[in-house]
Amino acid sequence: MNLHLKVWRQKSAQSEGRLADYEARNIPEDCSFLEMLDLVNEDLLSKGEEPIAFDHDCREGICGMCSLTINGIPHGPSETTTCQLYMRKFKDGQTIYIEPFRVGAFPLLRDLAVNRSAFDRIQQAGGFVSAHVGAAPDGNAILVPKTQADRAMEAAACIGCGACAAACPNASAMLFVGAKVTHLGSLPQGQPERDRRVLAMVRQMDAEGFGNCSNYLECEAVCPAEIPNSVIGQLNRDYASALVKDTL
Amino acid sequence: MNLLLSFWRSSIGKKWLVALSGLALLGFVAGHLVGNLQMFGGPSKINAYAEFLHANEKPLWVARIGIIAAFVLHVAATITLVLQNKSARPQAYQLGRNVQAKISTRTMAYSGLTVLSFVVFHLLHYTFRLTDPRFKVIAEGGLLETSHDVYRMVLLGFQSPLVSGFYLLSVGLLSLHLSHGISSAVQTFGLESKRSAQRIRQTGRLLSGAIFVGYASIPTAVLLGFLK
Ligand code: SF4
Ligand code: FES
């Protein structure tokens, strides 16, 4: 198939960027979106032009490194990550806009690559359990009700890709933070640090300059891990109760 | 006070303040509607209600101050949140797109601002009575029997299609604002995971619809000549 691409090109964070036009020719339908970009890049290299920089790593939908806002939607028209998006989702001759994740807290590095370390810093602020774990415990030594285990598992599916913030009209990271807080907060091992965790993660989230959720629910629509927006409700409730306890 | 400050200082805390003050304002909107509907009981009913309110100056002022405080908090917290949201995405998408955001959500700022300007006009109009020279007692050259002749004042006010039109538009937008607001508050209070969340949402939508119908009924009845 042949495609008309409009790709954001920008040399560095400081320089001006612009949408550049490229023709992608003879792209197999079974190519992934990133493989399509690889083909375009090979073409550019053979012509002696600078290839398009974009983020990727596992290419199997589990690492959260790939990004891209495709035709206005982070991770494009798929239920999964950009690396798991196949060209058969597009029509021959279609125009495709490819832009970086546009979030102030994710500074652009080059072209389509952005720096998502802000998420790592939020995670480092409290997204962990610091109890000494020792050797692996017996399977049923710590009992977890099934509903809680399911809830934690559902939230733990977050791969930290940042699409939620990229899709949010307010560039809010609350789906990501909600997922982390819900994941650990639903398990017995996460209880001792539950209040401290949510306070620290939200403080870091605010310091990074993310926006605030106003329930557009765009995050939930684009999340490749299908994190439900109820984790934001959980985040709001946990945060308020921790803040009240902390202040009084 | 300390608690208020620590809530004010954080993003989620501010959302709580918006939700709580919004809830207080919703209470006022509902109470005010019950009072207004006394119009359908005729002049004696609504005028007696006005007199009753003014006979109880102290509690009235407590309520007023509460409403003003909630209003100021609601608007101030929202403005700071919106400014943060704007600066959180310094560079917009060339091609932006929404997947599932509702219209009531996307128009919150517009509906809120229209309601805000309406409240200003509404106060000047019926509370301070500065916009219409007819809203004075007969002895002072107006058309009201007594200063508590609310019935006639409302009648005169809503006979103007322009006033009624703006009123209808504003209560319509208020209802849209409430239907998003109530469901947002469910999320802010973290009730989302509860089974009752859906029911609260539906009740919220019904309530905002009922509020629209209730408020809209008065100017409509005046314009159609049912109230005279
Ligand atoms: S919540 Fe979903 S969209 Fe957001 S970072 Fe996690 S996986 Fe990505
Ligand atoms: S490259 Fe790892 S999830 Fe897409």
Side-chain angles (χ1 to χ4, degrees):
Chain A
M1 58 202 297
N2 296 326
L3 299 153
H4 184 66
L5 306 183
K6 286 183 168 296
V7 184
W8 188 261
R9 302 299 311 257
Q10 185 170 342
K11 275 223 145 29
S12 69
Q14 285 74 36
S15 57
E16 282 281 307
R18 65 183 178 89
L19 277 178
D21 293 276
Y22 298 99
E23 300 302 328
R25 293 194 192 287
N26 302 322
I27 303 293
E29 272 196 347
D30 295 331
C31 235
S32 78
F33 200 83
L34 298 184
E35 285 161 349
M36 181 274 291
L37 285 180
D38 289 338
L39 292 174
V40 172
N41 273 346
E42 276 179 27
D43 193 40
L44 288 178
L45 279 169
S46 71
K47 285 192 267 181
E49 289 177 39
E50 213 28 70
I52 303 162
F54 60 90
D55 285 320
H56 61 102
D57 191 3
C58 73
R59 297 207 179 195
E60 51 188 24
I62 54 171
C63 76
M65 191 60 202
C66 57
S67 58
L68 308 186
T69 300
I70 302 161
N71 280 342
I73 302 175
H75 291 307
S78 67
E79 289 76 47
T80 161
T81 51
T82 296
C83 60
Q84 292 295 298
L85 168 63
Y86 290 89
M87 295 317 290
R88 49 183 173 268
K89 282 267 184 186
F90 297 89
K91 285 193 210 68
D92 188 30
Q94 194 179 338
T95 301
I96 307 177
Y97 280 74
I98 311 173
E99 293 180 70
F101 279 1
R102 296 207 188 274
V103 177
F106 295 159
L108 190 134
L109 297 169
R110 187 189 181 96
D111 298 338
L112 303 169
V114 295
N115 180 349
R116 281 165 283 173
S117 310
F119 270 14
D120 298 336
R121 289 188 293 269
I122 295 175
Q123 189 73 4
Q124 284 156 6
F128 49 80
V129 170
S130 57
H132 183 62
V133 285
D138 279 349
N140 291 323
I142 303 174
L143 297 178
V144 184
K146 176 81 167 93
T147 47
Q148 287 302 91
D150 285 350
R151 177 85 171 143
M153 194 62 200
E154 178 184 54
C158 167
I159 52 176
C161 63
C164 42
C168 175
N170 303 337
S172 164
M174 288 189 191
L175 194 69
F176 166 74
V177 180
K180 299 303 168 195
V181 161
T182 303
H183 164 203
L184 296 173
S186 300
L187 294 171
Q189 295 91 330
Q191 296 312 312
E193 289 160 302
R194 185 167 177 173
D195 289 349
R196 205 191 321 156
R197 172 181 313 115
V198 67
L199 290 175
M201 291 183 84
V202 170
R203 197 178 313 120
Q204 190 62 34
M205 171 183 88
D206 289 351
E208 298 288 351
F210 289 103
N212 313 290
C213 174
S214 40
N215 305 308
Y216 288 94
L217 306 186
E218 289 294 301
C219 52
E220 182 189 66
V222 303
C223 173
E226 296 178 338
I227 303 294
N229 76 70
S230 63
V231 301
I232 302 179
Q234 172 100 49
L235 171 70
N236 292 335
R237 189 167 38 154
D238 276 16
Y239 180 78
S241 98
L243 191 60
V244 169
K245 282 187 239 166
D246 190 56
T247 316
L248 296 182
Chain B
M1 204 61 208
N2 253 343
L3 199 60
L4 186 67
L5 268 182
S6 53
F7 269 74
W8 178 268
R9 280 198 204 102
S10 80
S11 53
I12 296 181
K14 269 206 204 85
K15 280 163 51 67
W16 271 80
L17 296 180
V18 173
L20 289 170
S21 56
L23 215 58
L25 292 170
L26 173 65
F28 164 71
V29 166
H32 188 42
L33 175 61
V34 173
N36 288 4
L37 289 177
Q38 308 299 317
M39 276 298 284
F40 291 103
S44 56
K45 211 52 193 278
I46 182 107
N47 293 355
Y49 172 67
E51 266 170 56
F52 161 77
L53 283 184
H54 286 278
N56 296 291
E57 282 287 335
K58 271 219 188 90
L60 182 66
W61 270 107
V62 172
R64 277 179 174 163
I65 290 172
I67 294 159
I68 295 171
F71 197 80
V72 170
L73 194 61
H74 195 71
V75 174
T78 308
I79 290 177
T80 41
L81 285 173
V82 168
L83 290 180
Q84 283 170 359
N85 295 345
K86 293 267 174 274
S87 62
R89 171 162 300 127
Q91 182 156 19
Y93 286 109
Q94 305 284 310
L95 183 78
R97 186 168 287 175
N98 284 308
V99 189
Q100 62 173 14
K102 290 209 182 68
I103 180 91
S104 58
T105 313
R106 286 188 273 130
T107 52
M108 268 321 250
Y110 306 106
S111 58
L113 287 174
T114 314
V115 171
L116 179 67
S117 61
F118 166 73
V119 167
V120 173
F121 170 71
H122 192 61
L123 287 174
L124 293 175
H125 188 208
Y126 285 143
T127 307
F128 300 113
R129 305 182 186 178
L130 292 174
T131 57
D132 195 327
R134 296 172 304 173
F135 295 173
K136 288 197 189 102
V137 288
I138 295 172
E140 288 169 14
L143 289 177
L144 306 188
E145 306 264 341
T146 69
S147 66
H148 294 315
D149 191 1
V150 172
Y151 187 82
R152 174 164 299 237
M153 179 175 74
V154 170
L155 221 55
L156 290 171
F158 282 146
Q159 272 160 3
S160 149
L162 205 65
V163 169
S164 285
F166 183 42
Y167 187 91
L168 287 173
L169 174 76
S170 304
V171 292
L173 290 175
L174 173 65
S175 155
L176 206 63
H177 193 81
L178 285 175
S179 88
H180 170 80
I182 296 171
S183 98
S184 275
V186 171
Q187 176 77 315
T188 300
F189 298 146
L191 306 173
E192 189 58 50
S193 49
K194 299 260 191 294
R195 209 167 309 149
S196 52
Q198 214 36 43
R199 223 163 332 127
I200 303 176
R201 289 234 155 93
Q202 269 155 8
T203 316
R205 270 195 291 274
L206 273 175
L207 189 66
S208 13
I211 283 175
F212 172 71
V213 172
Y215 276 106
S217 69
I218 300 166
T220 312
V222 172
L223 284 179
L224 296 180
F226 290 128
L227 286 174
K228 48 183 169 262

